[in-house]
Amino acid sequence: MKIYYDADADLNLLKEKKLTVIGYGSQGHAHALNLKDSGLDVAVGLRKTSARWKEAEEAGLKVFTVEEASEWGDVIMILLPDQNHKEVYENEIKPHLKTGKALAFAHGFNIFYKQVIPPNDVDVIMIAPKGPGHLVRRTFQNGSGTPCLIAIHQDYTGKAKDIALAWAKGIGGTRAGVIETTFKDETETDLFGEQAVLCGGSAELVKAGFETLVEAGYPPELAYFECMHELKLIVDLYYEGGLTRMNYSVSDTAEYGGMTRGPKVINADTKKVMKQILEDIQTGKFAEEWINENKNGQPVLKKLREENKNHLIEKVGAQLRSMMSWLTNK
Ligand code: NDP
Ligand code: MG
């Protein structure tokens, strides 16, 4: 697989353009500040009521309304929560998408599932950092950079890929390495990962382990430490050196017990369910469900959020974390 680095990207391509970042949240602040620090002309688009307006101005950025910023910019990167793209795009961005401009995203959902349908005479690109915005900012500042994916949905000007690479360079991505993908693959693998493994799978694994110990009469505090707290130590080892590093670092007892018992927990049936989850993503069934959930005011999300909040592991966890002086967001 080809990996693009600094030498493959030309920042000059963006020096003659005005760059708009819509939104100043996790990704928005990182893209805007990194591009500015790369010597580029950047403006942030926000609602008038935004609490972040002042913060962006104090950081030395130009701040306009979403409409003004869309009118002003040649490359317009939408960094709002995905469920708000469609409405904001239709009402405030689309009217200002003149021929030859570029529309950019950091995730493929709205283009791939046709929630945003741009006109034919603009470039449509993706630059998706593989990390939260605060990491994108921090690694830029320390000189290392966060790896990014880029993708081209529409190449009207013939320069779409060069623009995407230049943007990736401006935010520090090409220092770490940039991989080209498609809106389809990025969207489908992202949804699958968060549902089956990262958010869904891991949370249910933790809860099931915790419940098993508590139901067997063990103190919830011990169950919390074993099933949630220590997970971070294990994940850090995966992150640094994969399964081998994890197995090398834990005791032989943990390694043997894990390798012989793990496959009983996650087995052929689990994989069958994972395949079904992937199929619902590929057919668009999940996207349709999520779009309707948002239209209805997120009733299921709100109910499940409340249920999770009231789980014993959350109550015990909050208490135990208050003992951990080094944690800031308890
Ligand atoms: P955030 O939730 O952090 O974005 C919040 C920003 O959006 C705020 O500035 C908020 O303004 C603004 N906003 C929300 N609704 C509106 C609206 N209707 N009109 C104007 N401004 C609005 O988003 P993220 O940074 O998490 O995500 C942005 C994109 O990046 C998404 O496409 C996401 O999939 C993608 N992405 C996110 C990653 C992450 O780790 N977070 C990683 C990689 C990609 P206000 O101050 O007014 O509320
Ligand atoms: Mg993801």
Side-chain angles (χ1 to χ4, degrees):
M1 184 175 259
K2 167 117 179 95
I3 302 182
Y4 298 90
Y5 294 102
D6 276 349
D8 303 306
D10 182 8
L11 212 53
N12 286 322
L13 201 63
L14 293 184
K15 287 209 167 122
E16 56 210 42
K17 292 187 189 297
K18 296 183 201 145
L19 312 181
T20 286
V21 173
I22 308 286
Y24 200 68
S26 173
Q27 290 293 325
H29 91 285
H31 287 238
L33 292 172
N34 292 2
L35 293 168
K36 180 174 88 64
D37 290 349
S38 292
L40 302 169
D41 192 8
V42 191
V44 174
L46 284 172
R47 342 178 227 218
K48 269 262 150 68
T49 52
S50 172
R52 294 171 165 112
W53 188 295
K54 205 164 151 249
E55 191 187 324
E57 267 182 352
E58 281 172 2
L61 290 156
K62 283 193 265 293
V63 188
F64 301 138
T65 63
V66 175
E67 282 219 78
E68 290 162 354
S70 306
E71 164 71 32
W72 179 84
D74 301 310
V75 185
I76 302 163
M77 169 63 97
I78 306 185
L79 293 175
L80 307 174
D82 293 297
Q83 63 269 26
N84 299 348
H85 287 197
K86 184 183 168 70
E87 199 190 327
V88 175
Y89 171 78
E90 287 294 332
N91 299 329
E92 293 160 80
I93 300 173
K94 189 172 155 195
H96 306 287
L97 271 186
K98 289 197 211 83
T99 300
K101 286 195 180 191
L103 188 64
F105 297 84
H107 176 39
F109 189 98
N110 285 293
I111 288 291
F112 181 61
Y113 291 118
K114 299 190 165 48
Q115 297 305 292
V116 170
I117 304 177
N120 292 326
D121 59 351
V122 299
D123 292 342
V124 181
I125 59 180
M126 171 168 44
I127 302 99
K130 293 318 285 173
H134 294 87
L135 190 74
V136 175
R137 180 62 182 151
R138 183 150 39 89
T139 54
F140 179 89
Q141 286 177 306
N142 74 22
S144 57
T146 303
C148 293
L149 300 179
I150 59 161
I152 312 305
H153 175 68
Q154 209 166 271
D155 186 6
Y156 175 76
T157 62
K159 291 264 175 217
K161 185 170 171 181
D162 295 331
I163 294 172
L165 278 171
W167 188 288
K169 186 172 186 170
I171 63 171
T174 46
R175 293 180 195 164
V178 170
I179 291 170
E180 185 173 5
T181 180
T182 59
F183 274 66
K184 175 182 191 297
D185 283 3
E186 187 275 341
T187 304
E188 292 179 347
T189 55
D190 190 75
L191 290 173
F192 178 79
E194 64 203 19
Q195 292 176 18
V197 181
L198 306 173
C199 310
S202 79
E204 293 311 309
L205 186 67
V206 165
K207 281 196 281 181
F210 175 86
E211 286 167 9
T212 303
L213 285 177
V214 172
E215 283 162 20
Y218 296 99
E221 291 78 7
L222 279 192
Y224 173 83
F225 275 124
E226 282 308 321
C227 300
M228 187 179 264
H229 179 80
E230 287 193 28
L231 187 59
K232 172 171 168 33
L233 312 177
I234 297 299
V235 170
D236 282 349
L237 294 167
Y238 289 150
Y239 189 76
E240 289 160 13
L243 296 173
T244 309
R245 171 74 173 255
M246 189 278 282
N247 279 321
Y248 170 78
S249 280
V250 300
S251 66
D252 285 358
T253 317
E255 185 180 6
Y256 174 79
M259 289 194 301
T260 54
R261 267 49 178 187
K264 293 181 199 280
V265 179
I266 307 295
N267 51 34
D269 283 342
T270 321
K271 249 176 104 176
K272 228 184 269 166
V273 177
M274 285 188 174
K275 284 185 177 143
Q276 185 58 56
I277 289 172
L278 182 58
E279 204 179 299
D280 287 351
I281 292 167
Q282 290 167 330
T283 58
K285 192 170 166 219
F286 172 77
E288 194 188 329
E289 181 184 321
W290 175 228
I291 290 160
N292 283 328
E293 167 75 1
N294 281 298
K295 277 191 192 138
N296 298 334
Q298 303 185 329
V300 178
L301 180 64
K302 285 176 186 158
K303 178 173 155 277
L304 295 175
R305 211 178 253 164
E306 205 48 36
E307 273 174 28
N308 254 325
K309 223 192 266 170
N310 293 322
H311 193 284
L312 181 61
I313 198 168
E314 289 302 274
K315 302 203 186 302
V316 177
Q319 221 172 16
L320 291 174
R321 286 189 299 271
S322 72
M323 295 159 31
M324 302 177 196
S325 58
W326 62 91
L327 294 180
T328 45
N329 283 320
K330 290 163 189 168

